[in-house]
Amino acid sequence: MAILKTEGLTYTYSAGTPFEKTAVDHVDLCIEEHTMVGVIGHTGSGKSTLMQHFNGLLKPTSGKILLDGKDIWADKQKMREVRFRVGLVFQYPEYQLFEETVFKDIAFGPRNMGLGEEEIKRRVLETADALGMDRELLKRSPFALSGGQKRRAAIAGVMAMRPEVLILDEPCAGLDPKGRNLMLQQIRDYQKKTQSTVLLVSHSMEDVAEFTQKLLVMSKAKLFCYDDTAAVFRRSAELREMGLRVPQIASVMEKLRNRGFALPEDLYTVEQARDAMLHLLQKGGSTC
Amino acid sequence: MLKDITLGQYFPVDSVLHRMDPRFKIIFTMLFIIMLFAGNSIWTLVLGAVFVLMAQLLSKIPLKMSWKSIKPILPILVFTAVLNLEFISSGDVLWEWSFIKITEGGLQTSVFMICRIILLIVGSSLLTYTTSPILLTDAIEALMSPLRKIKFPVHEMAMMMSIALRFIPTLLEETDKIMSAQKARGAALDSGKLTQRVKALIPILIPLFVSAFRRAEELATAMECRCYRGGEGRTRLRQLRAEKRDYIGLFVCLVFLAASIVLNVLHKV
Ligand SMILES: Nc1ncnc2c1ncn2[C@@H]1O[C@H](COP(=O)(O)OP(=O)(O)OP(=O)(O)O)[C@@H](O)[C@H]1O
Ligand SMILES: [Mg+2]
């Protein structure tokens, strides 16, 4: 079942002035439930703009967004409800922290939903656990945390609302490699556990190859394609033309294949590649 | 969007007026204001209108933009008109109803005042439409530099002004972003009672202040790292240089001013 759908979605910034800029141009999309979707595209291709449409922060210049088959702009009174169902974490979300303690800050969203104190507490603790945040941390001021801890706190603030669709705009920007991986693993575990739909905007092909099932590729304000991750990476030549690339390991595999090694196609993660190469070596290799 | 209200309303097209020296443009605007207020006759308005029309055509700014600059002051215009109509009583009485009395003199004065204010606004907004805020501060610094003799911190003032101008759009953008982020967490910003609305501002103001202070600190550090020591001996990337067109413009302005004064004197006699 499709949870999010767009029809001819178009958005123009500063329409009618000399600074006019169409950032999203006639995008038709259909995103299924319970999937982890990667969103990739060159800088300025309109990813963030598109994401802000899904929870009604931007109103399309033309076109429609359907959540569960209902136009989200049909009833403006229900917009807050839409925002609780589609959670959006902005790029560098740590700048939105404001409460005295991390606990209170994470509780801001659930409290706005009108939940009871017990339920709020349960959700905050659960989310903090899911993101590997110490209970001790929850009592501290959000301004006294490290960058990575702040990022977690901000993401937790949206996750605690338990949205059906969770959108994360470059959640790993500026984190160290180990921190990135841990964060993505936690996000994937959360997705599996809650059976929600997660949209992950990322500039790292390695990350999306490892963690997502589907890829949404934006190019110059247009939707280039929306397909299975493996299928998208098969179009490596077109991706390169757009200023994107395939994961590094996939390039290595491709070059090895070109030199006559009998490696299968569709190897996009280091683990897959390692297994395939070990398998090849055990078979007695060709030219080693 | 918040970003659409910008302070510097610079309208970037290429025209003679855009290319003129900003120092001269400030002087032109001053001469124009003097012209408007030095005279009291119909000639002042006629000359002012011709002057504005000429500048408007040269600037290639669409008339729509001038309307945009008049719109916010409409209440003030109405207020002025009403005051003048009400309190000036000279000449024949045109219309009377209980304590309201409209006289010929009052009507004349209020029409005159409205035309004068409209010309003033349209004319002076051409300055900000055709000059980018940065050039404007440069020009103000240059024009005020004689004040340095009396130890007035001209450079520091100009620097503060350009920093403020530089960061207004940034802060507006940031406010927009923070507002969006809190709305995404269900903050209700535009409903509820007054106390609730004020409370709803906290999640926006706190992050905004935090980031403004952070930016200020970063900027100060960055300036120190580049050995900023104030205005002494600093050279400029953009040198302001007067050209032929600027002198022609100055000449035209002076002719208008002189004509206005002469016609006013003749009119009185
Ligand atoms: N507030 C705004 N006002 C005007 N133009 C904007 C605004 N925000 C974005 N744009 C423009 O819209 C286009 C798309 O921007 P967007 O932020 O969606 O890109 P992006 O794909 O998220 O890029 P990145 O990967 O760098 O985050 C860009 O060309 C940008 O200049
Ligand atoms: Mg972006």
Side-chain angles (χ1 to χ4, degrees):
Chain A
M1 239 278 305
I3 181 139
L4 272 179
K5 228 179 136 177
T6 66
E7 290 171 3
L9 185 66
T10 302
Y11 187 80
T12 307
Y13 280 110
S14 322
T17 71
F19 308 104
E20 193 170 281
K21 166 106 200 163
T22 299
V24 174
D25 197 357
H26 288 94
V27 167
D28 296 297
L29 254 181
C30 194
I31 293 172
E32 306 79 11
E33 266 175 309
H34 318 309
T35 30
M36 186 107 169
V37 181
V39 182
I40 57 174
H42 199 262
T43 285
S45 55
K47 303 182 293 293
S48 301
T49 311
L50 179 64
M51 295 305 123
Q52 286 175 57
H53 280 90
F54 290 141
N55 72 343
L57 282 175
L58 292 179
K59 184 167 185 185
T61 312
S62 68
K64 266 192 213 163
I65 304 133
L66 307 171
L67 176 64
D68 248 350
K70 284 190 212 81
D71 186 350
I72 63 168
W73 284 98
D75 185 1
K76 275 196 192 165
Q77 305 300 322
K78 295 236 172 82
M79 193 45 89
R80 259 183 105 198
E81 205 178 291
V82 169
R83 300 210 171 119
F84 296 134
R85 294 179 62 190
V86 182
L88 173 65
V89 182
F90 277 81
Q91 218 161 345
Y92 298 103
E94 45 273 32
Y95 297 135
Q96 74 192 30
L97 301 171
F98 71 97
E99 276 284 11
E100 291 156 64
T101 66
V102 175
F103 184 96
K104 278 191 184 168
D105 205 283
I106 300 177
F108 181 66
R111 184 155 289 136
N112 284 332
M113 293 170 81
L115 300 173
E117 283 306 313
E118 271 306 305
E119 177 68 12
I120 292 178
K121 190 169 175 204
R122 215 163 53 85
R123 286 197 179 190
V124 172
L125 294 181
E126 214 178 278
T127 317
D129 289 344
L131 286 174
M133 293 168 74
D134 228 20
R135 294 278 161 102
E136 238 356 82
L137 219 62
L138 296 180
K139 293 189 200 122
R140 305 244 302 263
S141 155
F143 299 107
L145 303 183
S146 80
Q149 289 167 330
K150 275 188 198 166
R151 180 76 54 88
R152 283 206 158 70
I155 293 178
V158 176
M159 270 189 183
M161 302 192 304
R162 299 253 185 88
E164 291 157 57
V165 182
L166 177 66
I167 305 173
L168 297 142
D169 199 344
E170 297 190 42
C172 299
L175 294 186
D176 64 300
K178 224 169 152 189
R180 297 174 73 94
N181 233 299
L182 184 62
M183 175 88 83
L184 289 169
Q185 270 166 26
Q186 286 160 344
I187 291 170
R188 182 173 55 190
D189 292 344
Y190 163 90
Q191 189 266 333
K192 286 218 173 104
K193 200 171 132 225
T194 57
Q195 280 297 300
S196 51
T197 307
V198 172
L199 271 70
L200 182 76
V201 179
S202 177
H203 278 287
S204 161
M205 300 300 141
E206 283 72 28
D207 289 351
V208 292
E210 191 172 343
F211 290 98
T212 68
Q213 294 136 28
K214 289 253 178 181
L215 274 188
L216 191 167
V217 189
M218 292 292 292
S219 173
K220 295 191 185 131
K222 292 223 174 10
L223 177 69
F224 171 72
C225 70
Y226 175 66
D227 209 341
D228 292 329
T229 303
V232 172
F233 283 141
R234 237 170 269 146
R235 305 165 75 168
S236 59
E238 285 161 283
L239 288 179
R240 275 197 200 98
E241 227 163 79
M242 275 186 274
L244 298 173
R245 53 178 186 86
V246 294
Q248 247 164 14
I249 193 74
S251 303
V252 174
M253 291 297 114
E254 198 183 321
K255 291 210 168 108
L256 282 176
R257 261 200 308 280
N258 290 345
R259 293 197 177 190
F261 289 90
L263 286 161
E265 282 191 54
D266 291 357
L267 297 175
Y268 302 112
T269 64
V270 177
E271 279 78 33
Q272 288 170 357
R274 183 198 57 200
D275 292 346
M277 283 166 82
L278 281 177
H279 185 71
L280 197 67
L281 286 175
Q282 271 159 13
K283 268 200 322 194
S286 46
T287 39
C288 289
Chain B
M1 266 185 129
L2 267 180
K3 242 189 88 182
D4 294 338
I5 13 165
T6 37
L7 182 83
Q9 37 189 343
Y10 183 52
F11 191 90
V13 286
D14 188 33
S15 80
V16 190
L17 224 60
H18 283 76
R19 270 174 275 136
M20 275 184 169
D21 187 326
R23 289 172 300 180
F24 278 74
K25 280 193 269 184
I26 293 179
I27 294 174
F28 299 163
T29 312
M30 283 174 169
L31 288 176
F32 172 68
I33 293 172
I34 293 172
M35 178 177 106
L36 275 186
F37 284 87
N40 240 333
S41 74
I42 185 80
W43 289 109
T44 314
L45 296 183
V46 173
L47 282 171
V50 172
F51 186 82
V52 168
L53 199 69
M54 208 174 65
Q56 181 92 36
L57 289 178
L58 281 176
S59 71
K60 295 191 191 156
I61 304 282
L63 274 173
K64 197 175 75 192
M65 295 301 287
S66 302
W67 167 240
K68 248 173 127 177
S69 53
I70 297 175
K71 229 177 2 184
I73 59 146
L74 276 179
I76 300 177
L77 282 180
V78 173
F79 186 69
T80 325
V82 169
L83 274 191
N84 277 311
L85 279 178
E86 183 55 27
F87 288 107
I88 295 180
S89 45
S90 62
D92 300 336
V93 175
L94 297 176
W95 193 67
E96 201 171 349
W97 182 74
S98 79
F99 62 91
I100 301 175
K101 199 163 88 182
I102 293 177
T103 61
E104 207 184 301
L107 188 67
Q108 251 178 27
T109 319
S110 61
V111 170
F112 185 81
M113 285 302 277
I114 288 178
C115 290
R116 188 189 254 173
I117 295 175
I118 290 178
L119 284 176
L120 178 72
I121 298 296
V122 175
S124 49
S125 53
L126 276 179
L127 173 68
T128 46
Y129 279 144
T130 61
T131 320
S132 73
I134 300 292
L135 274 180
L136 211 53
T137 32
D138 277 3
I140 291 172
E141 183 178 355
L143 287 175
M144 284 183 14
S145 59
L147 291 181
R148 245 182 237 142
K149 295 243 164 56
I150 56 163
K151 291 264 153 61
F152 185 80
V154 176
H155 172 78
E156 283 73 12
M157 286 288 293
M159 193 53 151
M160 281 196 289
M161 243 169 92
S162 35
I163 290 176
L165 282 172
R166 160 67 186 78
F167 278 98
I168 284 169
T170 313
L171 283 180
L172 281 177
E173 206 171 300
E174 196 128 316
T175 315
D176 238 6
K177 234 170 80 184
I178 294 170
M179 270 167 76
S180 298
Q182 307 299 28
K183 270 199 241 163
R185 296 206 278 168
L189 298 178
D190 33 22
S191 54
K193 285 201 290 282
L194 189 66
T195 46
Q196 277 171 329
R197 279 199 214 186
V198 172
K199 249 173 109 182
L201 283 179
I202 294 174
I204 290 163
L205 289 183
I206 291 180
L208 191 62
F209 273 100
V210 169
S211 102
F213 282 120
R214 187 176 43 83
R215 272 183 202 288
E217 205 178 316
E218 280 170 8
L219 181 70
T221 315
M223 283 168 82
E224 294 247 299
C225 289
R226 294 180 204 176
C227 306
Y228 177 76
R229 288 275 173 281
E232 209 105 322
R234 257 170 89 81
T235 55
R236 292 185 170 280
L237 177 63
R238 288 178 306 267
Q239 296 281 355
L240 297 177
R241 202 177 299 124
E243 288 184 33
K244 210 164 105 191
R245 56 170 172 259
D246 300 310
Y247 292 111
I248 295 175
L250 185 60
F251 179 72
V252 172
C253 282
L254 288 174
V255 167
F256 265 86
L257 182 60
S260 166
I261 291 171
V262 168
L263 284 170
N264 266 296
V265 171
L266 287 180
H267 193 77
K268 284 246 170 61
V269 173

